[in-house]
Amino acid sequence: SRTWGEWEKLIRTDPDAARALEFTAAQLRDARVSVEEADEEVMPDRVLAKAQADFVRWNLLEALEPGWSEVIQQMTRGPLGYGFSIHEEVMSQCAHRLLPGGTGYKLARLAERLPVTIEPNGWIEEGGELKTIRQQGEKNGKWQSIDLPASSVLLISWNRNGNNYLGFSAFRSVWYICKIREQLLKLAGISLMREGAGIPIATMDKDVSL
């Protein structure tokens, strides 16, 4: 199925798909994050190398919104569950002791752009490379098409082939099985309810004339 709601329903209601996704996302969400200093060949100034690493660590683990663990979950659940995830990089000015002069810019937010908002033909290419991503969203109080520059977004596609930016859900191979199992469980529930309540039987007096 290519319907967005089908994948959303699958990963949130099918017990096996939900557990598999949570098992994978939890390990990345709870992993320890380390930021290493640049090699001496790249950055001979070791004091500066340490300052840069410390700033990046602060930016990712303390200053980033909605928070590193939440971003990691989104980046894991999106590609595996739906096939892809998109996060727009939002920069903002900040003050920090590690920056030259005490002021500079930080990565303030990795804003998730839900796959359902991307237009079917919203992958605009130029010269064979992705240039913009067109989505439906609210801007200045109006619902309209918005072009996201590819250079300012973080796109993760699962099982991507060529320029198939949508990717493929990791659960595509079991999608049909999950759908059938859903119907079978529904029928089993109805059958148990009917058996438990019994089958109503109507009788008619033989002396009653029609």
Side-chain angles (χ1 to χ4, degrees):
S1 172
R2 299 190 179 192
T3 305
W4 158 259
E6 292 294 335
W7 295 115
E8 177 75 10
K9 183 179 179 181
L10 173 67
I11 65 175
R12 294 189 181 276
T13 61
D14 184 83
D16 293 328
R19 280 197 296 265
L21 194 56
E22 177 60 24
F23 176 78
T24 305
Q27 297 184 72
L28 297 175
R29 178 194 64 211
D30 301 333
R32 180 180 298 176
V33 180
S34 61
V35 179
E36 298 181 356
E37 302 172 14
D39 294 336
E40 188 172 358
E41 296 180 358
V42 178
M43 178 59 65
D45 188 340
R46 305 316 298 160
V47 176
L48 180 57
K50 184 180 184 306
Q52 290 175 340
D54 290 343
F55 178 78
V56 171
R57 187 182 302 107
W58 169 81
N59 194 166
L60 293 180
L61 303 183
E62 297 182 38
L64 183 66
E65 295 181 6
W68 181 254
S69 61
E70 183 64 27
V71 168
I72 287 298
Q73 287 191 97
Q74 293 172 356
M75 291 181 176
T76 305
R77 297 176 69 88
L80 292 179
Y82 317 125
F84 71 100
S85 70
I86 293 179
H87 287 78
E88 184 178 4
E89 300 173 355
V90 181
M91 308 296 292
S92 69
Q93 192 172 15
C94 70
H96 197 279
R97 60 180 179 79
L98 293 174
L99 293 171
T103 60
Y105 287 87
K106 68 176 180 179
L107 178 60
R109 184 175 180 83
L110 281 173
E112 184 181 24
R113 302 306 180 205
L114 297 179
V116 69
T117 65
I118 308 302
E119 295 187 0
N121 299 318
W123 308 93
I124 313 300
E125 293 183 334
E126 185 177 278
E129 297 294 334
L130 184 63
K131 181 181 179 182
T132 57
I133 302 173
R134 184 164 296 162
Q135 69 164 167
Q136 289 289 324
E138 185 178 352
K139 186 176 182 180
N140 299 326
K142 297 181 180 180
W143 192 260
Q144 55 188 299
S145 294
I146 302 173
D147 287 347
L148 301 175
S151 58
S152 65
V153 300
L154 181 58
L155 169 65
I156 303 175
S157 303
W158 186 258
N159 285 330
R160 173 178 165 183
N161 297 110
N163 289 354
N164 170 36
Y165 304 107
L166 289 168
F168 293 95
S169 170
F171 301 102
R172 180 174 288 271
S173 60
V174 296
W175 177 83
Y176 184 72
I177 296 175
C178 291
K179 292 292 293 182
I180 292 298
R181 180 167 61 180
E182 176 189 350
Q183 299 302 319
L184 291 176
L185 289 174
K186 185 183 296 184
L187 291 175
I190 294 174
S191 299
L192 291 174
M193 289 180 62
R194 288 180 176 177
E195 290 180 5
I199 301 177
I201 300 176
T203 59
M204 182 180 291
D205 193 331
K206 295 182 180 180
D207 296 334
V208 176
S209 57
L210 299 177

